[in-house]
Amino acid sequence: DIVMTQSPDSLAVSLGERATINCKSSQSVLYSSNSKNYLAWYQQQPGQPPKLLIYWASTRESGVPDRFSGSGSGTDFTLTISSLQAEDVAVYHCQQYYSNPYTFGQGTKLEIK
Amino acid sequence: EVHLVQSGGGLVQPGGPLRLSCTTSGFTFSNYWMSWVRQAPGKGLEWVANIDQDGSEKYYVDSVKGRFTISRDNAKNSLSLQMNSLRAEDTAVYYCARDRYCDSAACYSNPLGPWGQGTLVTVAS
């Protein structure tokens, strides 16, 4: 199974500042035949189901603000929020959909400093 | 608009059974794999099972193999998870989610989404 490890476990950032969350997979999730990274990021607010933010490591889901961006390839990925807003307080999860069983990182809790 | 509405869940004794359902609308259900994902209290997300578009392929996380059964009814646009021999460690919020897309030629990996609203399963005596 592919193990996904996020860092940090929690993060406190001031409003308007940049937030960066990292995700590392135990093996590459880059499919060579199409050059796509099978890596997604989800946002989960309290009491809510996860919401898809980013897929293919860097493609924003429709309706997601452009302050959210994803980067990385192979085994190392980053979710960046360029200017933190109050509504971005949530837990963020990375997930690989390269192979079954799908696996998630442990989650990163983002708070306002 | 795509909707996934879950039902079932509740309190069950250890060793008992429970069935979860997920009724969908707003998309061609029979063109998609579907997944179940769970989240234990205060913990991260754990993928539980998925099923292909016609119900012929099913995959499970090791911890539920032999105890849980995923199924679907394409005529009713619905997904189910039959959970038997439940354990305390199965206590979690369970979510259904849309999975990979299939057309007549092939299936295409997708991230999971949209998701159902979630339903709490509590295994306790």
Side-chain angles (χ1 to χ4, degrees):
Chain A
D1 298 358
I2 299 176
V3 177
M4 308 298 291
T5 304
Q6 289 181 231
S7 60
D9 290 336
S10 63
L11 182 62
V13 174
S14 301
L15 289 173
E17 295 299 304
R18 178 185 300 260
T20 301
I21 299 170
N22 299 301
C23 177
K24 188 174 184 68
S25 58
S26 62
Q27 63 189 76
S28 177
V29 298
L30 173 63
Y31 194 42
S32 56
S33 66
N34 60 10
S35 299
K36 288 187 174 182
N37 288 282
Y38 286 56
L39 189 284
W41 288 97
Y42 302 86
Q43 177 193 64
Q44 187 178 27
Q45 290 170 324
Q48 296 297 312
K51 171 190 169 186
L52 178 64
L53 289 179
I54 303 280
Y55 56 98
W56 303 130
S58 60
T59 302
R60 260 189 312 275
E61 175 73 330
S62 176
V64 172
D66 61 6
R67 65 180 179 273
F68 291 91
S69 64
S71 63
S73 184
T75 62
D76 292 279
F77 302 92
T78 300
L79 174 69
T80 301
I81 308 172
S82 60
S83 177
L84 189 71
Q85 306 299 303
E87 60 267 30
D88 301 335
V89 169
V91 176
Y92 292 84
H93 308 270
C94 65
Q95 179 233 343
Q96 65 81 17
Y97 50 103
Y98 181 88
S99 65
N100 264 10
Y102 300 152
T103 46
F104 293 85
Q106 78 275 21
T108 295
K109 185 175 184 179
L110 178 59
E111 299 173 311
I112 305 293
K113 185 187 291 183
Chain B
E1 189 178 355
V2 174
H3 289 286
L4 288 78
V5 178
Q6 297 180 225
S7 58
L11 175 64
V12 60
Q13 291 191 336
L18 201 62
R19 187 176 184 89
L20 306 182
S21 296
C22 173
T23 301
T24 72
S25 61
F27 66 101
T28 305
F29 183 70
S30 58
N31 281 151
Y32 287 87
W33 288 51
M34 296 294 295
S35 272
W36 288 99
V37 176
R38 67 184 178 183
Q39 187 170 35
K43 301 296 184 183
L45 299 167
E46 179 183 40
W47 173 84
V48 173
N50 63 3
I51 185 169
D52 75 347
Q53 70 276 19
D54 62 13
S56 59
E57 293 183 47
K58 305 175 185 182
Y59 299 93
Y60 301 91
V61 69
D62 284 348
S63 59
V64 309
K65 284 179 183 174
R67 300 188 299 122
F68 290 12
T69 302
I70 189 172
S71 61
R72 65 190 296 156
D73 184 338
N74 285 350
K76 296 182 177 179
N77 295 329
S78 69
L79 174 74
S80 295
L81 185 68
Q82 177 66 44
M83 303 183 293
N84 296 330
S85 303
L86 280 161
R87 305 167 180 167
E89 55 265 34
D90 296 319
T91 295
V93 175
Y94 285 72
Y95 298 99
C96 60
R98 195 173 70 178
D99 198 326
R100 66 188 74 173
Y101 169 76
C102 302
D103 61 19
S104 56
C107 291
Y108 308 94
S109 286
N110 275 346
L112 296 176
W115 297 56
Q117 82 277 16
T119 187
L120 178 61
V121 172
T122 303
V123 184
S125 54

